[in-house]
Short mmCIF file of all heavy atoms in Angstrom, two decimals:
data_model
loop_
_atom_site.label_atom_id
_atom_site.label_comp_id
_atom_site.label_asym_id
_atom_site.label_seq_id
_atom_site.Cartn_x
_atom_site.Cartn_y
_atom_site.Cartn_z
N MET A 16 -18.67 -0.78 -44.58
CA MET A 16 -17.58 0.16 -44.22
C MET A 16 -17.30 1.13 -45.36
O MET A 16 -16.98 0.72 -46.46
CB MET A 16 -16.33 -0.67 -43.91
CG MET A 16 -15.08 0.12 -43.63
SD MET A 16 -14.92 0.84 -41.99
CE MET A 16 -15.31 -0.55 -40.95
N ARG A 17 -17.48 2.41 -45.08
CA ARG A 17 -17.27 3.41 -46.12
C ARG A 17 -16.06 4.28 -45.77
O ARG A 17 -15.49 4.16 -44.69
CB ARG A 17 -18.51 4.30 -46.25
CG ARG A 17 -19.77 3.51 -46.52
CD ARG A 17 -20.37 3.89 -47.84
NE ARG A 17 -19.35 3.98 -48.89
CZ ARG A 17 -19.44 3.36 -50.06
NH1 ARG A 17 -20.46 2.60 -50.31
NH2 ARG A 17 -18.52 3.51 -50.97
N ARG A 18 -15.76 5.17 -46.69
CA ARG A 18 -14.62 6.06 -46.45
C ARG A 18 -14.77 6.82 -45.14
O ARG A 18 -13.82 7.04 -44.42
CB ARG A 18 -14.51 7.04 -47.62
CG ARG A 18 -13.16 7.71 -47.71
CD ARG A 18 -13.06 8.61 -48.91
NE ARG A 18 -13.60 8.05 -50.13
CZ ARG A 18 -13.03 7.08 -50.82
NH1 ARG A 18 -11.90 6.56 -50.42
NH2 ARG A 18 -13.58 6.62 -51.92
N ASP A 19 -16.00 7.23 -44.82
CA ASP A 19 -16.24 7.96 -43.58
C ASP A 19 -15.82 7.15 -42.35
O ASP A 19 -15.29 7.68 -41.39
CB ASP A 19 -17.74 8.29 -43.43
CG ASP A 19 -18.12 9.42 -44.37
OD1 ASP A 19 -17.21 10.00 -44.98
OD2 ASP A 19 -19.32 9.69 -44.47
N ASP A 20 -16.11 5.82 -42.42
CA ASP A 20 -15.73 4.98 -41.30
C ASP A 20 -14.22 4.94 -41.16
O ASP A 20 -13.68 4.97 -40.06
CB ASP A 20 -16.26 3.55 -41.50
CG ASP A 20 -17.78 3.54 -41.58
OD1 ASP A 20 -18.41 4.07 -40.65
OD2 ASP A 20 -18.32 3.03 -42.57
N LEU A 21 -13.56 4.86 -42.31
CA LEU A 21 -12.09 4.85 -42.28
C LEU A 21 -11.60 6.14 -41.65
O LEU A 21 -10.67 6.13 -40.85
CB LEU A 21 -11.52 4.73 -43.69
CG LEU A 21 -11.70 3.37 -44.35
CD1 LEU A 21 -11.17 3.41 -45.78
CD2 LEU A 21 -10.99 2.30 -43.56
N ASN A 22 -12.25 7.24 -42.00
CA ASN A 22 -11.86 8.51 -41.44
C ASN A 22 -12.02 8.53 -39.94
O ASN A 22 -11.13 8.94 -39.21
CB ASN A 22 -12.73 9.63 -42.04
CG ASN A 22 -11.97 10.38 -43.12
OD1 ASN A 22 -10.78 10.63 -42.95
ND2 ASN A 22 -12.63 10.71 -44.18
N ARG A 23 -13.18 8.05 -39.48
CA ARG A 23 -13.44 8.05 -38.05
C ARG A 23 -12.43 7.18 -37.31
O ARG A 23 -12.05 7.48 -36.21
CB ARG A 23 -14.86 7.55 -37.78
CG ARG A 23 -15.71 8.59 -37.10
CD ARG A 23 -17.12 8.12 -36.88
NE ARG A 23 -17.90 8.16 -38.10
CZ ARG A 23 -18.55 7.11 -38.60
NH1 ARG A 23 -18.51 5.96 -37.98
NH2 ARG A 23 -19.23 7.21 -39.70
N ARG A 24 -12.07 6.09 -37.95
CA ARG A 24 -11.10 5.20 -37.30
C ARG A 24 -9.68 5.75 -37.39
O ARG A 24 -8.74 5.13 -36.93
CB ARG A 24 -11.14 3.82 -37.96
CG ARG A 24 -12.37 3.04 -37.57
CD ARG A 24 -12.61 1.92 -38.55
NE ARG A 24 -13.85 1.22 -38.21
CZ ARG A 24 -13.85 0.00 -37.68
NH1 ARG A 24 -12.74 -0.61 -37.41
NH2 ARG A 24 -14.99 -0.57 -37.42
N GLY A 25 -9.54 6.90 -38.04
CA GLY A 25 -8.22 7.53 -38.10
C GLY A 25 -7.30 6.87 -39.09
O GLY A 25 -6.09 7.07 -39.06
N LEU A 26 -7.87 6.07 -40.00
CA LEU A 26 -7.00 5.36 -40.94
C LEU A 26 -6.60 6.24 -42.11
O LEU A 26 -5.54 6.07 -42.69
CB LEU A 26 -7.70 4.10 -41.47
CG LEU A 26 -8.07 3.10 -40.38
CD1 LEU A 26 -8.82 1.94 -40.99
CD2 LEU A 26 -6.82 2.63 -39.67
N ILE A 27 -7.50 7.16 -42.46
CA ILE A 27 -7.18 8.08 -43.53
C ILE A 27 -6.96 9.43 -42.90
O ILE A 27 -7.76 9.91 -42.13
CB ILE A 27 -8.32 8.14 -44.56
CG1 ILE A 27 -8.47 6.78 -45.22
CG2 ILE A 27 -8.08 9.23 -45.58
CD1 ILE A 27 -9.58 6.69 -46.23
N GLY A 28 -5.83 10.02 -43.22
CA GLY A 28 -5.58 11.35 -42.69
C GLY A 28 -4.84 11.34 -41.36
O GLY A 28 -4.86 12.32 -40.65
N GLY A 29 -4.19 10.24 -41.03
CA GLY A 29 -3.40 10.20 -39.81
C GLY A 29 -1.99 10.69 -40.05
O GLY A 29 -1.63 11.07 -41.14
N ALA A 30 -1.17 10.70 -39.01
CA ALA A 30 0.22 11.12 -39.15
C ALA A 30 0.98 10.13 -40.02
O ALA A 30 0.59 8.99 -40.15
CB ALA A 30 0.89 11.21 -37.79
N ALA A 31 2.03 10.59 -40.62
CA ALA A 31 2.69 9.74 -41.61
C ALA A 31 4.20 9.70 -41.47
O ALA A 31 4.87 10.69 -41.56
CB ALA A 31 2.35 10.24 -43.00
N THR A 32 4.68 8.49 -41.23
CA THR A 32 6.12 8.22 -41.34
C THR A 32 6.25 6.74 -41.60
O THR A 32 5.26 6.02 -41.57
CB THR A 32 6.88 8.53 -40.03
OG1 THR A 32 6.15 7.93 -38.96
CG2 THR A 32 7.05 10.01 -39.80
N GLY A 33 7.42 6.27 -41.85
CA GLY A 33 7.63 4.83 -41.95
C GLY A 33 7.37 4.28 -43.32
O GLY A 33 7.05 5.00 -44.25
N ALA A 34 7.52 2.99 -43.47
CA ALA A 34 7.42 2.37 -44.77
C ALA A 34 6.47 1.18 -44.74
O ALA A 34 6.42 0.42 -43.79
CB ALA A 34 8.79 1.91 -45.25
N LEU A 35 5.70 1.08 -45.79
CA LEU A 35 4.79 -0.05 -45.93
C LEU A 35 5.50 -1.13 -46.71
O LEU A 35 6.21 -0.86 -47.66
CB LEU A 35 3.55 0.42 -46.68
CG LEU A 35 2.46 -0.62 -46.92
CD1 LEU A 35 1.78 -0.96 -45.62
CD2 LEU A 35 1.44 -0.05 -47.90
N GLY A 36 5.26 -2.37 -46.32
CA GLY A 36 5.97 -3.48 -46.95
C GLY A 36 5.54 -3.74 -48.37
O GLY A 36 4.70 -3.06 -48.93
N VAL A 37 6.14 -4.76 -48.98
CA VAL A 37 5.80 -5.12 -50.35
C VAL A 37 4.56 -6.01 -50.34
O VAL A 37 4.04 -6.36 -49.29
CB VAL A 37 6.97 -5.87 -51.03
CG1 VAL A 37 8.09 -4.91 -51.29
CG2 VAL A 37 7.42 -7.03 -50.17
N GLY A 38 4.08 -6.37 -51.52
CA GLY A 38 3.06 -7.41 -51.60
C GLY A 38 1.67 -6.94 -51.89
O GLY A 38 0.78 -7.75 -52.05
N LEU A 39 1.43 -5.63 -51.96
CA LEU A 39 0.09 -5.16 -52.31
C LEU A 39 -0.15 -5.42 -53.78
O LEU A 39 0.69 -5.12 -54.61
CB LEU A 39 -0.02 -3.67 -52.04
CG LEU A 39 -0.08 -3.28 -50.58
CD1 LEU A 39 0.03 -1.78 -50.44
CD2 LEU A 39 -1.37 -3.78 -49.97
N ALA A 40 -1.32 -5.93 -54.11
CA ALA A 40 -1.63 -6.23 -55.50
C ALA A 40 -1.53 -4.96 -56.35
O ALA A 40 -2.16 -3.97 -56.05
CB ALA A 40 -3.03 -6.80 -55.61
N GLY A 41 -0.72 -5.01 -57.35
CA GLY A 41 -0.64 -3.90 -58.29
C GLY A 41 0.11 -2.69 -57.77
O GLY A 41 0.17 -1.67 -58.43
N CYS A 42 0.66 -2.79 -56.59
CA CYS A 42 1.33 -1.63 -56.01
C CYS A 42 2.83 -1.80 -56.00
O CYS A 42 3.34 -2.91 -55.94
CB CYS A 42 0.89 -1.39 -54.57
SG CYS A 42 -0.77 -0.74 -54.45
N GLU A 43 3.49 -0.68 -56.03
CA GLU A 43 4.92 -0.71 -55.79
C GLU A 43 5.11 -0.66 -54.28
O GLU A 43 4.16 -0.54 -53.54
CB GLU A 43 5.56 0.54 -56.39
CG GLU A 43 5.40 0.61 -57.88
CD GLU A 43 6.04 1.85 -58.43
OE1 GLU A 43 6.41 2.73 -57.63
OE2 GLU A 43 6.16 1.93 -59.65
N ARG A 44 6.35 -0.70 -53.87
CA ARG A 44 6.61 -0.50 -52.46
C ARG A 44 6.16 0.91 -52.10
O ARG A 44 6.50 1.87 -52.75
CB ARG A 44 8.12 -0.65 -52.22
CG ARG A 44 8.48 -0.63 -50.77
CD ARG A 44 9.99 -0.70 -50.63
NE ARG A 44 10.36 -0.38 -49.27
CZ ARG A 44 10.30 -1.24 -48.28
NH1 ARG A 44 9.93 -2.48 -48.52
NH2 ARG A 44 10.63 -0.88 -47.06
N ILE A 45 5.37 1.01 -51.09
CA ILE A 45 4.79 2.30 -50.73
C ILE A 45 5.21 2.64 -49.31
O ILE A 45 5.20 1.80 -48.43
CB ILE A 45 3.25 2.21 -50.74
CG1 ILE A 45 2.76 1.77 -52.11
CG2 ILE A 45 2.62 3.52 -50.33
CD1 ILE A 45 1.28 1.43 -52.11
N SER A 46 5.57 3.87 -49.10
CA SER A 46 5.75 4.28 -47.72
C SER A 46 4.46 4.96 -47.31
O SER A 46 3.89 5.74 -48.05
CB SER A 46 6.95 5.21 -47.57
OG SER A 46 6.62 6.53 -47.86
N ALA A 47 3.94 4.60 -46.18
CA ALA A 47 2.64 5.12 -45.78
C ALA A 47 2.63 5.41 -44.29
O ALA A 47 3.62 5.26 -43.60
CB ALA A 47 1.55 4.13 -46.13
N SER A 48 1.50 5.84 -43.81
CA SER A 48 1.40 6.23 -42.42
C SER A 48 1.32 4.99 -41.53
O SER A 48 0.91 3.93 -41.98
CB SER A 48 0.17 7.09 -42.22
OG SER A 48 -0.99 6.28 -42.34
N PRO A 49 1.68 5.13 -40.27
CA PRO A 49 1.57 4.00 -39.34
C PRO A 49 0.13 3.49 -39.29
O PRO A 49 -0.12 2.30 -39.17
CB PRO A 49 1.98 4.60 -38.00
CG PRO A 49 2.74 5.83 -38.31
CD PRO A 49 2.22 6.33 -39.63
N GLN A 50 -0.83 4.42 -39.42
CA GLN A 50 -2.24 4.02 -39.41
C GLN A 50 -2.54 3.08 -40.56
O GLN A 50 -3.25 2.08 -40.40
CB GLN A 50 -3.16 5.24 -39.51
CG GLN A 50 -3.28 6.04 -38.23
CD GLN A 50 -2.18 7.08 -38.12
OE1 GLN A 50 -1.15 6.95 -38.76
NE2 GLN A 50 -2.39 8.08 -37.30
N VAL A 51 -2.00 3.41 -41.74
CA VAL A 51 -2.24 2.57 -42.91
C VAL A 51 -1.55 1.22 -42.72
O VAL A 51 -2.12 0.17 -42.98
CB VAL A 51 -1.74 3.26 -44.19
CG1 VAL A 51 -1.82 2.32 -45.38
CG2 VAL A 51 -2.56 4.52 -44.46
N ASN A 52 -0.33 1.28 -42.25
CA ASN A 52 0.39 0.02 -42.00
C ASN A 52 -0.39 -0.88 -41.06
O ASN A 52 -0.54 -2.07 -41.29
CB ASN A 52 1.76 0.31 -41.38
CG ASN A 52 2.70 0.97 -42.37
OD1 ASN A 52 2.40 1.02 -43.57
ND2 ASN A 52 3.82 1.47 -41.89
N ARG A 53 -0.91 -0.30 -40.00
CA ARG A 53 -1.66 -1.07 -39.02
C ARG A 53 -2.92 -1.65 -39.63
O ARG A 53 -3.27 -2.80 -39.40
CB ARG A 53 -2.01 -0.19 -37.82
CG ARG A 53 -1.18 -0.52 -36.59
CD ARG A 53 -1.57 0.35 -35.42
NE ARG A 53 -0.84 1.62 -35.45
CZ ARG A 53 -1.41 2.81 -35.33
NH1 ARG A 53 -2.71 2.92 -35.19
NH2 ARG A 53 -0.69 3.89 -35.35
N ALA A 54 -3.59 -0.84 -40.46
CA ALA A 54 -4.84 -1.29 -41.07
C ALA A 54 -4.60 -2.47 -41.99
O ALA A 54 -5.45 -3.34 -42.14
CB ALA A 54 -5.49 -0.15 -41.84
N LEU A 55 -3.42 -2.50 -42.59
CA LEU A 55 -3.14 -3.56 -43.55
C LEU A 55 -2.61 -4.81 -42.87
O LEU A 55 -2.61 -5.88 -43.45
CB LEU A 55 -2.16 -3.06 -44.62
CG LEU A 55 -2.81 -2.03 -45.57
CD1 LEU A 55 -1.74 -1.30 -46.36
CD2 LEU A 55 -3.79 -2.70 -46.51
N ALA A 56 -2.17 -4.68 -41.64
CA ALA A 56 -1.72 -5.84 -40.90
C ALA A 56 -2.95 -6.67 -40.52
O ALA A 56 -4.02 -6.14 -40.28
CB ALA A 56 -0.98 -5.41 -39.65
N VAL A 57 -2.77 -7.99 -40.49
CA VAL A 57 -3.92 -8.86 -40.18
C VAL A 57 -4.16 -8.88 -38.68
O VAL A 57 -3.24 -8.78 -37.89
CB VAL A 57 -3.65 -10.28 -40.71
CG1 VAL A 57 -4.85 -11.18 -40.46
CG2 VAL A 57 -3.32 -10.23 -42.19
N GLY A 58 -5.41 -9.01 -38.28
CA GLY A 58 -5.74 -9.21 -36.88
C GLY A 58 -5.60 -7.99 -36.02
O GLY A 58 -5.32 -8.08 -34.84
N GLU A 59 -5.82 -6.82 -36.58
CA GLU A 59 -5.75 -5.60 -35.78
C GLU A 59 -7.13 -5.02 -35.56
O GLU A 59 -7.29 -3.86 -35.22
CB GLU A 59 -4.85 -4.57 -36.47
CG GLU A 59 -3.40 -5.00 -36.53
CD GLU A 59 -2.55 -4.35 -35.44
OE1 GLU A 59 -3.12 -3.63 -34.60
OE2 GLU A 59 -1.34 -4.59 -35.45
N GLY A 60 -8.16 -5.81 -35.78
CA GLY A 60 -9.50 -5.33 -35.52
C GLY A 60 -10.08 -4.47 -36.63
O GLY A 60 -11.10 -3.83 -36.45
N VAL A 61 -9.42 -4.45 -37.76
CA VAL A 61 -9.94 -3.70 -38.90
C VAL A 61 -10.55 -4.70 -39.87
O VAL A 61 -9.97 -5.73 -40.15
CB VAL A 61 -8.81 -2.90 -39.58
CG1 VAL A 61 -9.32 -2.22 -40.85
CG2 VAL A 61 -8.24 -1.88 -38.62
N THR A 62 -11.73 -4.40 -40.36
CA THR A 62 -12.41 -5.35 -41.23
C THR A 62 -11.69 -5.50 -42.58
O THR A 62 -10.95 -4.62 -43.00
CB THR A 62 -13.85 -4.90 -41.54
OG1 THR A 62 -13.78 -3.71 -42.32
CG2 THR A 62 -14.64 -4.67 -40.27
N ARG A 63 -11.97 -6.61 -43.22
CA ARG A 63 -11.39 -6.86 -44.54
C ARG A 63 -11.85 -5.80 -45.53
O ARG A 63 -11.12 -5.39 -46.41
CB ARG A 63 -11.79 -8.24 -45.07
CG ARG A 63 -11.24 -9.35 -44.22
CD ARG A 63 -10.72 -10.50 -45.08
NE ARG A 63 -9.89 -11.36 -44.25
CZ ARG A 63 -8.57 -11.31 -44.25
NH1 ARG A 63 -7.94 -10.47 -45.04
NH2 ARG A 63 -7.87 -12.09 -43.46
N ARG A 64 -13.09 -5.34 -45.36
CA ARG A 64 -13.61 -4.33 -46.27
C ARG A 64 -12.81 -3.02 -46.13
O ARG A 64 -12.49 -2.37 -47.12
CB ARG A 64 -15.09 -4.07 -46.00
CG ARG A 64 -15.72 -3.09 -46.95
CD ARG A 64 -17.19 -2.95 -46.66
NE ARG A 64 -17.94 -4.12 -47.06
CZ ARG A 64 -18.35 -4.34 -48.31
NH1 ARG A 64 -18.05 -3.49 -49.25
NH2 ARG A 64 -19.03 -5.41 -48.60
#
Side-chain angles (χ1 to χ4, degrees):
M16 175 79 49
R17 304 242 45 129
R18 198 177 316 288
D19 286 353
D20 299 306
L21 289 176
N22 258 320
R23 241 178 284 125
R24 286 161 184 253
L26 299 177
I27 295 178
T32 47
L35 180 70
V37 289
L39 288 171
C42 287
E43 298 180 349
R44 187 184 168 80
I45 302 170
S46 84
S48 71
Q50 284 87 339
V51 173
N52 291 348
R53 253 181 274 131
L55 289 165
V57 183
E59 294 260 4
V61 175
T62 66
R63 296 221 165 260
R64 183 177 288 277

